[in-house]
Amino acid sequence: MNLRATRARPSPAATPPPAGRSAAPAAAAGHAPFGPTAAVLAATALLATSQLYGMIPLLGRAAPGWNTDPASLTWLVSVFGFGYAAGFLLFGPLSDRLGRRRVMVGGVAATAVTTALVAAAPSPEIGIVLRVAQGVTIGAFPPVAMAYVGERVAPHRRLTTVTAMTTGFLAAAVVGQLTAQGLAAAFGWRSFFLAGAVAFAAAAAVLARVLLPDGPSGGASPRAAYRAMPRLLVTPGLWPLFLAVPVVLGPFVAIYTGLQLTGTDGLLELRASALPVILAIPFLTARLARVPGPARAAAALALSAASVALVGLLEPGTLGLALLLMLVTAGTAVAAPGLIDIVVARAGAARASAVSLHSALLFAGASLGPQLAAALTGHGLRALGLVLAALLAAGALLVAASRRGPA
């Protein structure tokens, strides 16, 4: 989902972690085993973000048991994303002090507990509180995992490892929804969270076995990273990008939520149609990288804008909708890493804080997507598509305008 910036920085300390500890002790300890490390990090990335998207197809199934309507339950999607974003900001810098392995294993293990508690939630109100906790605990994984890759994976293996993780994050948008839809149909909506709790417990055990031990505790103070974030928000060349970041995932989540709330036919096929695009994007990385970052990200957002506008204007059948959703997915999958490339290049010594801030804003935007869908689908899919197109077009213009900032 994010952080392909390692490609452009082959040195051991160059991957832009959301924390700034020196990689020297890691280098002395040797490199992590490539195959097991890439596999467990990619699988955990898939599990983590599946919990955001998996709630979307469960809205209609959870509502009757709680005597409410599906639109009001969109907060169960949103609050997880807000917690996830908060976890990024909190645990990235903290892992400098506490250690990457310790934070990752602890966060994933804690998520096994919070996910099981979501399955047992007796009411929407308690469910919302537990979803926040679930988001915060799993928010310990993504930024710290990226920092770990930059410090412990051999330089020539970093791009492959980060690409595997990125594919996991992106594929969660499809796999999470398909898994939730299938489990809910067979065993009820709570089964998705019960299965997730078991999967997180297994992931924590494998992470504890595969990840290299942390060095001596200590390291840089997290306060420096926290203090840098407000300054980054007003930095020339960066602030337009940070304004644009929330519209990358927000409309993507909103359009799928809107399709769920409007009872669109063929949702299984529509969700599955995006998976080939997500799997293909990593193989196009080298060619896409030839296009300058701002132009690449702006064009990708413009593609998504045009596609969701056509969804609203045409309200096509299943085949046409599937094709348009594939284009929306392609635009999202290109824009997200494109923006992080630019942020890392422009943030200088503050790139660790910039990466954490970027990731938090990305998922804050994703959290607002369901609320947009709930507010607009009462006026039909056309209203939702046109509003989302306007937001994406504004994001494209902000990214294009940022080209006047420092390169």
Tab-separated table of all heavy atoms in Angstrom, residues 9-46:
chain	number	residue	atom	x	y	z
A	9	ARG	N	16.641	4.093	-3.166
A	9	ARG	CA	17.664	4.326	-2.159
A	9	ARG	C	18.309	2.994	-1.775
A	9	ARG	O	17.849	2.314	-0.871
A	9	ARG	CB	17.033	4.990	-0.933
A	9	ARG	CG	16.591	6.397	-1.286
A	9	ARG	CD	15.726	6.966	-0.172
A	9	ARG	NE	15.455	8.363	-0.428
A	9	ARG	CZ	14.554	8.791	-1.294
A	9	ARG	NH1	13.846	7.945	-1.962
A	9	ARG	NH2	14.360	10.084	-1.485
A	10	PRO	N	19.354	2.577	-2.465
A	10	PRO	CA	19.903	1.254	-2.249
A	10	PRO	C	20.719	1.094	-0.990
A	10	PRO	O	21.083	-0.001	-0.642
A	10	PRO	CB	20.784	1.032	-3.493
A	10	PRO	CG	21.171	2.406	-3.911
A	10	PRO	CD	20.032	3.285	-3.582
A	11	SER	N	21.066	2.168	-0.286
A	11	SER	CA	21.921	2.011	0.887
A	11	SER	C	21.157	1.417	2.041
A	11	SER	O	19.950	1.546	2.133
A	11	SER	CB	22.497	3.376	1.301
A	11	SER	OG	21.469	4.217	1.721
A	12	PRO	N	21.831	0.741	2.993
A	12	PRO	CA	21.150	0.049	4.066
A	12	PRO	C	20.264	0.938	4.893
A	12	PRO	O	19.263	0.490	5.413
A	12	PRO	CB	22.305	-0.531	4.896
A	12	PRO	CG	23.440	-0.667	3.936
A	12	PRO	CD	23.278	0.449	2.961
A	13	ALA	N	20.589	2.190	5.081
A	13	ALA	CA	19.774	3.052	5.938
A	13	ALA	C	18.788	3.874	5.148
A	13	ALA	O	18.136	4.738	5.679
A	13	ALA	CB	20.683	3.988	6.742
A	14	ALA	N	18.663	3.569	3.859
A	14	ALA	CA	17.953	4.515	3.005
A	14	ALA	C	16.460	4.330	2.970
A	14	ALA	O	15.755	5.236	2.614
A	14	ALA	CB	18.489	4.404	1.587
A	15	THR	N	15.913	3.136	3.228
A	15	THR	CA	14.468	2.999	3.212
A	15	THR	C	13.865	3.991	4.180
A	15	THR	O	14.306	4.098	5.298
A	15	THR	CB	14.081	1.576	3.640
A	15	THR	OG1	14.602	0.683	2.688
A	15	THR	CG2	12.568	1.425	3.695
A	16	PRO	N	12.852	4.733	3.780
A	16	PRO	CA	12.321	5.782	4.635
A	16	PRO	C	11.426	5.236	5.729
A	16	PRO	O	10.220	5.146	5.547
A	16	PRO	CB	11.503	6.648	3.672
A	16	PRO	CG	11.124	5.714	2.582
A	16	PRO	CD	12.208	4.713	2.469
A	17	PRO	N	11.983	4.795	6.853
A	17	PRO	CA	11.140	4.260	7.905
A	17	PRO	C	10.397	5.355	8.617
A	17	PRO	O	10.838	6.490	8.633
A	17	PRO	CB	12.153	3.596	8.852
A	17	PRO	CG	13.388	4.410	8.680
A	17	PRO	CD	13.401	4.842	7.253
A	18	PRO	N	9.248	5.043	9.245
A	18	PRO	CA	8.554	6.024	10.038
A	18	PRO	C	9.235	6.225	11.377
A	18	PRO	O	8.618	6.529	12.365
A	18	PRO	CB	7.167	5.404	10.203
A	18	PRO	CG	7.077	4.367	9.168
A	18	PRO	CD	8.453	3.892	8.971
A	19	ALA	N	10.475	5.979	11.454
A	19	ALA	CA	11.245	6.182	12.661
A	19	ALA	C	12.681	6.285	12.227
A	19	ALA	O	13.056	5.821	11.170
A	19	ALA	CB	11.043	5.018	13.603
A	20	GLY	N	13.544	6.864	13.057
A	20	GLY	CA	14.832	7.245	12.528
A	20	GLY	C	16.027	6.559	13.096
A	20	GLY	O	17.132	7.057	13.013
A	21	ARG	N	15.898	5.423	13.723
A	21	ARG	CA	17.041	4.791	14.343
A	21	ARG	C	18.062	4.362	13.316
A	21	ARG	O	17.724	3.934	12.227
A	21	ARG	CB	16.566	3.565	15.142
A	21	ARG	CG	17.682	2.969	15.978
A	21	ARG	CD	17.145	1.931	16.942
A	21	ARG	NE	16.458	0.871	16.218
A	21	ARG	CZ	15.926	-0.171	16.840
A	21	ARG	NH1	15.944	-0.253	18.137
A	21	ARG	NH2	15.331	-1.115	16.146
A	22	SER	N	19.292	4.436	13.651
A	22	SER	CA	20.371	4.035	12.750
A	22	SER	C	20.285	2.554	12.460
A	22	SER	O	19.936	1.743	13.298
A	22	SER	CB	21.737	4.344	13.393
A	22	SER	OG	22.757	3.768	12.627
A	23	ALA	N	20.618	2.183	11.226
A	23	ALA	CA	20.591	0.779	10.839
A	23	ALA	C	21.891	0.069	11.133
A	23	ALA	O	22.024	-1.113	10.884
A	23	ALA	CB	20.259	0.658	9.354
A	24	ALA	N	22.879	0.744	11.698
A	24	ALA	CA	24.175	0.131	11.909
A	24	ALA	C	24.134	-1.099	12.779
A	24	ALA	O	24.721	-2.123	12.445
A	24	ALA	CB	25.143	1.168	12.484
A	25	PRO	N	23.429	-1.099	13.939
A	25	PRO	CA	23.385	-2.309	14.738
A	25	PRO	C	22.756	-3.461	13.993
A	25	PRO	O	23.163	-4.606	14.123
A	25	PRO	CB	22.522	-1.890	15.945
A	25	PRO	CG	22.636	-0.402	16.000
A	25	PRO	CD	22.761	0.017	14.595
A	26	ALA	N	21.730	-3.149	13.147
A	26	ALA	CA	21.092	-4.208	12.383
A	26	ALA	C	22.061	-4.825	11.399
A	26	ALA	O	22.090	-6.035	11.199
A	26	ALA	CB	19.857	-3.649	11.670
A	27	ALA	N	22.844	-3.976	10.749
A	27	ALA	CA	23.782	-4.498	9.768
A	27	ALA	C	24.783	-5.426	10.419
A	27	ALA	O	25.157	-6.458	9.868
A	27	ALA	CB	24.480	-3.342	9.067
A	28	ALA	N	25.216	-5.053	11.635
A	28	ALA	CA	26.179	-5.889	12.339
A	28	ALA	C	25.585	-7.235	12.701
A	28	ALA	O	26.275	-8.239	12.789
A	28	ALA	CB	26.662	-5.170	13.604
A	29	ALA	N	24.263	-7.260	12.923
A	29	ALA	CA	23.617	-8.501	13.334
A	29	ALA	C	23.338	-9.419	12.147
A	29	ALA	O	22.895	-10.540	12.328
A	29	ALA	CB	22.309	-8.189	14.058
A	30	GLY	N	23.551	-8.979	10.925
A	30	GLY	CA	23.289	-9.787	9.749
A	30	GLY	C	21.924	-9.486	9.165
A	30	GLY	O	21.081	-8.855	9.794
A	31	HIS	N	21.715	-9.940	7.931
A	31	HIS	CA	20.463	-9.678	7.246
A	31	HIS	C	19.422	-10.743	7.570
A	31	HIS	O	19.738	-11.894	7.830
A	31	HIS	CB	20.706	-9.620	5.735
A	31	HIS	CG	21.533	-8.451	5.320
A	31	HIS	ND1	22.616	-8.565	4.469
A	31	HIS	CD2	21.454	-7.134	5.638
A	31	HIS	CE1	23.156	-7.372	4.284
A	31	HIS	NE2	22.472	-6.489	4.985
A	32	ALA	N	18.166	-10.325	7.486
A	32	ALA	CA	17.056	-11.237	7.733
A	32	ALA	C	16.936	-12.236	6.582
A	32	ALA	O	17.275	-11.913	5.433
A	32	ALA	CB	15.766	-10.433	7.863
A	33	PRO	N	16.446	-13.442	6.859
A	33	PRO	CA	16.224	-14.420	5.774
A	33	PRO	C	15.157	-13.897	4.826
A	33	PRO	O	14.041	-13.564	5.252
A	33	PRO	CB	15.760	-15.674	6.526
A	33	PRO	CG	15.239	-15.181	7.839
A	33	PRO	CD	16.050	-13.973	8.171
A	34	PHE	N	15.474	-13.838	3.543
A	34	PHE	CA	14.605	-13.141	2.600
A	34	PHE	C	13.236	-13.796	2.435
A	34	PHE	O	12.200	-13.158	2.636
A	34	PHE	CB	15.299	-13.050	1.235
A	34	PHE	CG	14.374	-12.662	0.119
A	34	PHE	CD1	13.766	-11.420	0.104
A	34	PHE	CD2	14.094	-13.558	-0.908
A	34	PHE	CE1	12.895	-11.062	-0.921
A	34	PHE	CE2	13.229	-13.213	-1.930
A	34	PHE	CZ	12.634	-11.963	-1.937
A	35	GLY	N	13.200	-15.068	2.080
A	35	GLY	CA	11.933	-15.742	1.773
A	35	GLY	C	10.941	-15.699	2.929
A	35	GLY	O	9.814	-15.202	2.770
A	36	PRO	N	11.315	-16.224	4.094
A	36	PRO	CA	10.366	-16.192	5.217
A	36	PRO	C	9.963	-14.789	5.627
A	36	PRO	O	8.805	-14.544	5.973
A	36	PRO	CB	11.143	-16.898	6.338
A	36	PRO	CG	12.163	-17.732	5.644
A	36	PRO	CD	12.536	-16.963	4.417
A	37	THR	N	10.909	-13.842	5.567
A	37	THR	CA	10.596	-12.467	5.972
A	37	THR	C	9.585	-11.845	5.024
A	37	THR	O	8.569	-11.272	5.452
A	37	THR	CB	11.869	-11.615	6.006
A	37	THR	OG1	12.787	-12.178	6.950
A	37	THR	CG2	11.555	-10.184	6.410
A	38	ALA	N	9.837	-11.934	3.712
A	38	ALA	CA	8.905	-11.360	2.738
A	38	ALA	C	7.535	-12.012	2.846
A	38	ALA	O	6.505	-11.333	2.771
A	38	ALA	CB	9.462	-11.514	1.324
A	39	ALA	N	7.503	-13.325	3.043
A	39	ALA	CA	6.223	-14.035	3.091
A	39	ALA	C	5.390	-13.621	4.299
A	39	ALA	O	4.198	-13.320	4.181
A	39	ALA	CB	6.463	-15.544	3.101
A	40	VAL	N	6.006	-13.595	5.480
A	40	VAL	CA	5.221	-13.280	6.681
A	40	VAL	C	4.821	-11.810	6.718
A	40	VAL	O	3.718	-11.464	7.156
A	40	VAL	CB	5.981	-13.686	7.963
A	40	VAL	CG1	7.199	-12.799	8.204
A	40	VAL	CG2	5.042	-13.642	9.169
A	41	LEU	N	5.679	-10.915	6.224
A	41	LEU	CA	5.314	-9.504	6.203
A	41	LEU	C	4.183	-9.243	5.204
A	41	LEU	O	3.253	-8.471	5.493
A	41	LEU	CB	6.526	-8.637	5.878
A	41	LEU	CG	7.635	-8.603	6.929
A	41	LEU	CD1	8.769	-7.676	6.487
A	41	LEU	CD2	7.107	-8.172	8.292
A	42	ALA	N	4.241	-9.874	4.033
A	42	ALA	CA	3.181	-9.690	3.039
A	42	ALA	C	1.859	-10.264	3.534
A	42	ALA	O	0.796	-9.651	3.364
A	42	ALA	CB	3.578	-10.347	1.718
A	43	ALA	N	1.911	-11.453	4.160
A	43	ALA	CA	0.685	-12.071	4.667
A	43	ALA	C	0.065	-11.238	5.780
A	43	ALA	O	-1.163	-11.061	5.846
A	43	ALA	CB	0.983	-13.485	5.158
A	44	THR	N	0.905	-10.698	6.664
A	44	THR	CA	0.386	-9.875	7.756
A	44	THR	C	-0.171	-8.558	7.220
A	44	THR	O	-1.176	-8.043	7.724
A	44	THR	CB	1.474	-9.617	8.799
A	44	THR	OG1	2.057	-10.856	9.204
A	44	THR	CG2	0.899	-8.936	10.035
A	45	ALA	N	0.463	-8.002	6.194
A	45	ALA	CA	-0.068	-6.793	5.554
A	45	ALA	C	-1.462	-7.048	4.993
A	45	ALA	O	-2.374	-6.223	5.127
A	45	ALA	CB	0.880	-6.329	4.451
A	46	LEU	N	-1.638	-8.201	4.359
A	46	LEU	CA	-2.943	-8.571	3.818
A	46	LEU	C	-3.980	-8.692	4.930
A	46	LEU	O	-5.101	-8.172	4.824
A	46	LEU	CB	-2.818	-9.884	3.051
A	46	LEU	CG	-4.099	-10.455	2.443
A	46	LEU	CD1	-4.651	-9.532	1.368
A	46	LEU	CD2	-3.841	-11.838	1.859
